[in-house]
């Protein structure tokens, strides 16, 4: 019943920035833990960042700490991923996900109930 639609992906040069958006349906969006994950070709899907219901608690994978920021706008039912200082190794399909019954940090993929279709991010040098 929860639909997630990612947008904002594209091609960017290394060192550049990109902001991803995830628009969510659902009456209780403000209670969900939200997460961003990514999957590169031939690789397993990995955690990028998570944020709790009010945006106060966040968690980041070591590979993106200091470069990426996750935040949300509950009145707009939207969660964002601001990506700065992008590296070639950040290239992947980025997925938005919602955990409806698990509180933050919710770092395990099995804790997420709904997933978006993904948006491609390509970083070139």
């Amino acid at each position: 019943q929860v639909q997630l639609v990612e947008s904002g992906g594209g091609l960017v040069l290394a060192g550049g920035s990109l902001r991803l958006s995830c628009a969510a349906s659902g009456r209780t969006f403000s209670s969900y833990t939200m997460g961003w994950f990514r999957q590169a070709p031939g690789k397993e899907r990995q955690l990028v960042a998570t944020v709790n219901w009010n945006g106060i608690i966040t968690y980041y994978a070591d590979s993106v700490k200091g470069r990426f920021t996750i935040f949300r706008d509950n009145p707009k039912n939207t969660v964002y991923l601001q990506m700065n200082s992008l590296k070639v190794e950040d290239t992947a399909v980025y997925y938005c996900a919602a955990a409806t019954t698990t509180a933050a940090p919710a770092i395990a993929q099995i804790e997420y109930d709904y997933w978006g279709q993904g948006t491609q991010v390509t970083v070139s040098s």
Side-chain angles (χ1 to χ4, degrees), residues 8-13 17-18 91 120-124:
L11 176 65
V12 65
L13 293 174
S17 298
L18 206 60
T91 296
Q120 177 71 47
V121 172
T122 303
V123 184
S124 63

Side-chain angles (χ1 to χ4, degrees), residues 63-83:
S63 60
V64 306
K65 285 182 179 177
R67 300 190 298 120
F68 291 10
T69 303
I70 186 171
F71 60 100
R72 65 196 297 162
D73 186 341
N74 285 344
K76 290 183 169 63
N77 277 21
T78 303
V79 63
Y80 304 90
L81 183 69
Q82 178 66 46
M83 304 183 292

Side-chain angles (χ1 to χ4, degrees), residues 11 16 37 40 43 46 53 58 86 90 98 102 104 109 111 122:
L11 176 65
F37 297 79
K43 304 291 182 62
Q46 298 177 300
W53 70 275
T58 58
L86 282 161
D90 293 320
T102 305
Q109 294 186 45
E111 296 176 303
T122 303

